[in-house]
Each structure stands twice: as structure tokens, then as C-alpha cells.
Amino acid sequence: MDRKPLINVQKVSPYYRSNFAYSMLISGNCSPVKSKVISNVIMKKDMPVVVINLDANSSYFSHSIHYDFSIGRNTGYDLFSSMTIREACAFCRDVAHEENYPNDQVAQIIKYLDFIQKLNEYLNLDLRTINDINNHYYSPEVINKAINEMFCLGKINKGDYDRLITRLVRGIKGQLIIDDILSMTNFELNSNGNTDFSIGNLKSGQTAFIDLAPRHNSYTETRARNNVLYSIEGYCAPISVVLNVGRSDFSTVEAFVRNMTVKSTCQFITIIDDLFSQIPDYDRVRRSFSLNLLGQHTGASCQKMSECFHEIYKTEKHYACAVDRRLMSERFIDVLCNTNHTDTTTLIPVKRSIIEQQDIVSLSERAFIMMDNTGSANYFSLHSI
């Protein structure tokens, strides 16, 4: 997974803070700025990096790049290797609700895994993932045989034996539901459990590239994308995540973005073509990030961006011209010298945005306005690379 960066790497960046978790949103016509930020993230050595691409036509990602996982290509994603049993139980429960399983069947998932955890304690087994559990206890007969062997060897008494058998009967339906959900999820992610990519196997200094750009907008693609984002969102170790939205539909990842911006162990960067035209509630989304890097915007987006800055009173010059129209009031010399009127200049205070539309339109592609949303007031500064 170590590979040459996609773009030219510059060793020094004044825009990247590596000593604490933060979130950054980049929008506008500022391709060199976006490329530099991606380069600096890829250079990180103190934590793993995941770069997610949602835009098939993005200019920041070469079509020949090797993706560790890609929707619609012959790659697989191991969703469960980085999940604890409790996290996997929650995932299966959520999927069962989404697939409209009855509540009593959803409860069977919890009962079954709770029973298996207890059985593992008796057997001193270290089955770390839900796939390990499913493969080890592949049928009710295997579980029943294990309980009988423990009783015969004297590891459990008659009371423990009866309780375990009762819990097996009450919770065994959960095994069937879990098996169905695992099979469905592995199909969606093209997972065979052997050579699949897993975010849990990433080490510090490694970068993984994940392609979630839709090919057919099918149900299977949507499920696969949501599953991958779910696993990244639930990853608890320190990690840097770059999400390239590009021109794609932001609503497909809105919940993911909302949850990632509040994670204390994640440095999260989102890149989008035009924040103001692609997101209806752009101001709320913008403020949820620690930093905003806003480049050139035009048209209606330019006006919306200008409104994000506070207003101040600016002085405007207003001009007036008074002409005396009374009969015989104009002397020949005044008409000849164009002095037959009175010009007046008045300075009037008007309220305007501190960053006006003409300032935004005039930004070069290497310039951006950085807004800091971490304080009680929104501070901003102009930068150029």
C-alpha cells in the first residue's frame, strides 16, 4: 500500500496542522491548493491515511491508479476484521432493521452473540471477529457438541449445562440471520475473506485509496458504499481521511461527513467543487468543519460566499450636480467655461460584506481565503501558494 504519491509532494506546508485532530473543507476553483493538501496528507508518517474518491471524473486521481478497493472492479473489502464483536453485532442489528426483519428476529442476533461470548469464555477461545465466530460455530450441532463435551469433561456442572442449552434454543435463530447478513454484505463488497483489503490492517505511514464513484447507481453499489463508509466511521484508532466529493451528489455522504467532523481521533478533509451550489444547507455544513479553504467562486455561489463574511461600514462617494435653470441665469462666460453648475461629492457610509463579490471572482487558482471556525468569532485570512 506504500506507493508514489499521485501529485508532486512539497515538504513544507503552512496549512497543515498535525498536532491535533481537525477537519477541513476545501471548495472552489483552486486546484493547486487541493493538490497540495492531498500531497501533504499522503506524506504523513504518524498515522494511516485513507483517500476516498466519489467522483469518477475527478482530475486529482489518475485512471491508472491502483485502488485498494473499488466499486465495480475485481477487488474485495473485508468489513468485519476491524470490528469488535459488539460493533459487528450493532452492524448486523442495523442491517436487519433496514431490511425490515421483525423485532423479535432482530433480538435473536443479540441473544445469540451474547450466548456465544459466554461459550467462548468456557472454552477459552479467542475468536476476535464475527466471521471467526460464524466459521467456528457453523451449525447448531457444533455448538451442542461443544456444550456436551464440556459437561462430560467436568468443565461445567448440570446447572450450567441446562442454562447453556436453554440459551442455545432461545438464540439459535440469530445464527441464521447473522449468516444471511454476512453473506449479503460479503456479496456487496465482493469479499472472499482471503486477499480482501481491510482498513484494520493499515499501518502508520501507509496510504489506502478507495474508489466509491458510482458506476450504475444500483442498490448493490449503494449498499457497498455505505458499508465501507460505515467501517471507516467506526474506526477508533488515529487516522487521516481525505474525501473527494468533486461534482458528485453530496447527500449520499452527508451523514458520513457529519459524523466524521466530530471524531476526536480523525483528521478529516473534504474536497468539493462548489460548496454553495451542491449543498442546500451550505452554511451549517461549512461551520461543522474546523477550517474552510475557499477559492474562487462565480455567479450565485460567489454571492453566497460573500454573505458568509461579516459586514462592515464602507464609505461610498455619491456625486450630485446642481444647475441653475432660471431665465437669464446663465452668463456666456459660465457656459463657455462649463461653470454654469455646482458639483457636490458626498461620502456616505454603507454596510457591505468585508469580502465582496469582486474580491472573490478576482482570486487566482493558487489563492484562497481560510476561515477558522474554532473560535467564538469566525476569523479569516487570505493565502496564496
Side-chain angles (χ1 to χ4, degrees):
M1 277 168 272
D2 288 309
R3 57 175 65 81
K4 186 178 179 181
L6 302 179
I7 45 186
N8 293 330
V9 174
Q10 300 186 25
K11 295 185 178 180
V12 180
S13 172
Y15 317 116
Y16 190 82
R17 297 181 286 181
S18 59
N19 58 336
F20 65 101
Y22 73 99
S23 56
M24 178 188 294
L25 174 66
I26 311 175
S27 173
N29 180 25
C30 51
S31 295
V33 177
K34 295 175 181 179
S35 297
K36 185 172 184 179
V37 169
I38 296 175
S39 293
N40 288 332
V41 175
I42 292 174
M43 287 177 58
K44 288 187 65 63
K45 300 299 181 184
D46 57 343
M47 64 178 68
V49 178
V50 174
V51 181
I52 308 169
N53 181 36
L54 293 174
D55 187 356
N57 299 314
S58 177
S59 59
Y60 309 113
F61 299 89
S62 168
H63 292 290
S64 61
I65 181 178
H66 166 72
Y67 282 102
D68 298 283
F69 175 74
S70 176
I71 289 180
R73 300 185 185 180
N74 190 26
T75 54
Y77 190 96
D78 186 354
L79 180 70
F80 300 104
S81 64
S82 61
M83 289 186 183
T84 64
I85 300 300
R86 180 179 178 81
E87 290 169 343
C89 178
F91 173 82
C92 292
R93 186 167 178 257
D94 292 340
V95 172
H97 273 295
E98 291 175 5
E99 296 297 323
N100 297 317
Y101 281 77
N103 287 333
D104 59 333
Q105 293 188 24
V106 174
Q108 294 291 332
I109 296 174
I110 302 173
K111 289 180 180 179
Y112 173 72
L113 287 178
D114 183 58
F115 161 74
I116 291 298
Q117 289 285 69
K118 189 67 177 179
L119 190 60
N120 288 341
E121 293 175 8
Y122 280 113
L123 297 174
N124 293 320
L125 293 177
D126 186 22
L127 302 176
R128 297 181 179 273
T129 72
I130 195 168
N131 277 327
D132 293 336
I133 286 177
N134 201 51
N135 293 333
H136 186 81
Y137 302 107
Y138 57 88
S139 72
E141 289 75 17
V142 172
I143 302 174
N144 198 11
K145 181 180 178 180
I147 297 174
N148 286 323
E149 287 181 356
M150 288 191 298
F151 179 67
C152 294
L153 294 174
K155 292 184 178 181
I156 57 176
N157 56 35
K158 186 64 169 61
D160 292 333
Y161 174 83
D162 292 338
R163 281 191 292 272
L164 287 175
I165 291 295
T166 301
R167 294 180 68 177
L168 173 61
V169 172
R170 291 177 176 176
I172 196 60
K173 288 183 180 179
Q175 184 191 47
L176 302 177
I177 301 172
I178 289 172
D179 189 63
D180 288 344
I181 292 174
L182 293 183
S183 298
M184 180 174 61
T185 303
N186 289 335
F187 171 77
E188 292 163 353
L189 297 175
N190 196 29
S191 175
N192 57 26
N194 297 321
T195 59
D196 299 332
F197 168 74
S198 170
I199 187 175
N201 295 331
L202 276 178
K203 297 179 176 59
S204 294
Q206 291 184 322
T207 300
F209 297 97
I210 298 178
D211 176 28
L212 299 183
R215 301 301 191 273
H216 308 290
N217 290 316
S218 64
Y219 174 80
T220 301
E221 280 188 356
T222 300
R223 290 284 310 176
R225 181 183 63 244
N226 291 344
N227 288 337
V228 172
L229 296 178
Y230 183 97
S231 68
I232 295 173
E233 183 182 324
Y235 188 74
C236 297
I239 190 172
S240 290
V241 178
V242 178
L243 175 66
N244 179 48
V245 178
R247 299 182 183 87
S248 64
D249 184 2
F250 180 79
S251 64
T252 60
V253 291
E254 185 171 2
F256 172 74
V257 170
R258 181 172 59 249
N259 295 328
M260 291 296 290
T261 53
V262 297
K263 283 179 65 71
S264 59
T265 58
C266 177
Q267 294 178 333
F268 181 56
I269 298 171
T270 296
I271 299 173
I272 190 169
D273 273 25
D274 190 336
L275 160 73
F276 303 100
S277 66
Q278 293 177 243
I279 306 177
D281 193 10
Y282 62 85
D283 197 55
R284 179 193 60 78
V285 174
R286 177 187 67 78
R287 290 176 181 273
S288 67
F289 288 83
S290 305
L291 296 176
N292 302 152
L293 272 57
L294 304 177
Q296 182 197 61
H297 291 75
T298 58
S301 297
C302 178
Q303 179 181 351
K304 292 176 181 178
M305 177 175 166
S306 178
E307 293 170 354
C308 293
F309 300 92
H310 65 274
E311 294 182 326
I312 61 173
Y313 281 99
K314 297 181 179 181
T315 301
E316 286 188 355
K317 291 183 178 181
H318 286 236
Y319 301 95
C321 178
V323 180
D324 189 352
R325 296 298 187 186
R326 293 177 299 172
L327 190 62
M328 305 297 292
S329 63
E330 296 184 349
R331 296 183 301 167
F332 175 76
I333 188 65
D334 288 328
V335 174
L336 185 64
C337 298
N338 196 29
T339 57
N340 59 336
H341 61 275
T342 303
D343 291 321
T344 305
T345 302
T346 307
L347 299 179
I348 299 177
V350 293
K351 211 170 187 181
R352 295 279 189 271
S353 173
I354 193 169
I355 302 294
E356 298 192 56
Q357 294 185 48
Q358 59 265 30
D359 302 321
I360 297 171
V361 172
S362 64
L363 289 172
S364 71
E365 66 173 6
R366 304 184 68 86
F368 62 93
I369 299 173
M370 183 171 68
M371 300 185 71
D372 189 340
N373 300 320
T374 57
S376 56
N378 289 335
Y379 295 97
F380 70 91
S381 54
L382 180 64
H383 297 270
S384 182
I385 62 173

